[in-house]
Amino acid sequence: KKLKKLTELQFRWATQSQLIEKLPQEWLPYMIDVGLLSNPPVTTFSKNSPRYVYWAASRYLTKCVSDYPNEITSVILNCNFQNEKDRNPTIYTDFLTCAINLPISNIEKIGQKILDEKWYDFRENYWFTEKYVEVIERLYLAEKYDLAEKLFHNGFAPKLSEKITTMNIFEEP
């Protein structure tokens, strides 16, 4: 009985994912209106290890970014995880992929959300970090130095100081 229910859930998830991935960009406003982009899946845990769930809707946003920059910014700004442990770096990576391709004013809004919600806690995730650095680079090139510096400092300074401390570079030979 449990296997049957699991199979049904997986089928629905897979079907929804395939459907969303194939939708044309023009469907974005409708998807926002019906709430398909407001409830990201939460992180699940198996034996205390996190399992980050792929969300087709966040991938869909990445293909609509050039035609709907303000709508996508709004989706990202309004997307919240209820608990800190529910946060998902795969979804944040998709959001960063969108941000890279948005106008600077939109990136600034998302940059503040990153700081407020501490997305940078996922800097250990390669794909996340790659996109995070690209967001910082876009801000820097647009001369938004203050926000770029805050994102850099919060994202990398703790790790850099940890590495410097463990390297003992300040000890005399």
Side-chain angles (χ1 to χ4, degrees):
K1 189 172 182 175
K2 285 183 180 181
L3 181 60
K4 182 180 179 190
K5 186 172 182 172
L6 178 62
T7 305
E8 288 172 5
L9 287 172
Q10 286 177 339
F11 176 75
R12 282 186 274 174
W13 178 82
T15 303
Q16 182 186 28
S17 294
Q18 289 175 352
L19 174 67
I20 289 173
E21 287 175 0
K22 293 179 182 186
L23 287 176
Q25 295 173 352
E26 297 78 35
W27 279 63
L28 180 70
Y30 172 77
M31 291 178 66
I32 292 170
D33 288 344
V34 299
L36 286 174
L37 301 173
S38 60
N39 295 311
V42 298
T43 299
T44 59
F45 289 84
S46 174
K47 298 180 183 175
N48 294 328
S49 294
R51 289 182 169 209
Y52 301 115
V53 180
Y54 163 81
W55 190 32
S58 64
R59 297 284 163 95
Y60 176 76
L61 292 176
T62 65
K63 83 177 188 181
C64 301
V65 72
S66 61
D67 293 329
Y68 295 96
N70 294 327
E71 292 84 348
I72 288 174
T73 300
S74 180
V75 168
I76 293 170
L77 293 175
N78 291 311
C79 188
N80 295 307
F81 291 95
Q82 296 299 322
N83 301 305
E84 190 171 315
K85 67 178 176 126
D86 292 338
R87 300 181 320 155
N88 186 330
T90 61
I91 295 171
Y92 287 149
T93 301
D94 289 340
F95 287 171
L96 291 173
T97 300
C98 291
I100 293 162
N101 297 296
L102 289 169
I104 288 299
S105 61
N106 298 48
I107 297 174
E108 288 180 281
K109 294 173 190 171
I110 294 168
Q112 191 56 54
K113 181 178 178 78
I114 291 168
L115 291 170
D116 293 343
E117 296 180 5
K118 301 179 181 176
W119 291 14
Y120 46 79
D121 287 346
F122 292 108
R123 64 185 164 266
E124 301 293 333
N125 178 294
Y126 173 79
W127 300 113
F128 174 86
T129 301
E130 180 180 289
K131 300 302 178 186
Y132 188 84
V133 168
E134 287 183 54
V135 167
I136 293 170
E137 181 181 28
R138 282 282 321 274
L139 289 165
Y140 183 80
L141 292 173
E143 299 181 359
K144 303 298 180 183
Y145 302 123
D146 187 48
L147 182 56
E149 183 180 319
K150 285 179 185 174
L151 288 170
F152 178 81
H153 176 74
N154 285 296
F156 298 107
K159 268 317 229 193
L160 291 173
S161 64
E162 180 183 304
K163 285 190 187 289
I164 290 170
T165 302
T166 58
M167 289 173 23
N168 296 320
I169 62 171
F170 299 111
E171 290 183 5
E172 291 185 34

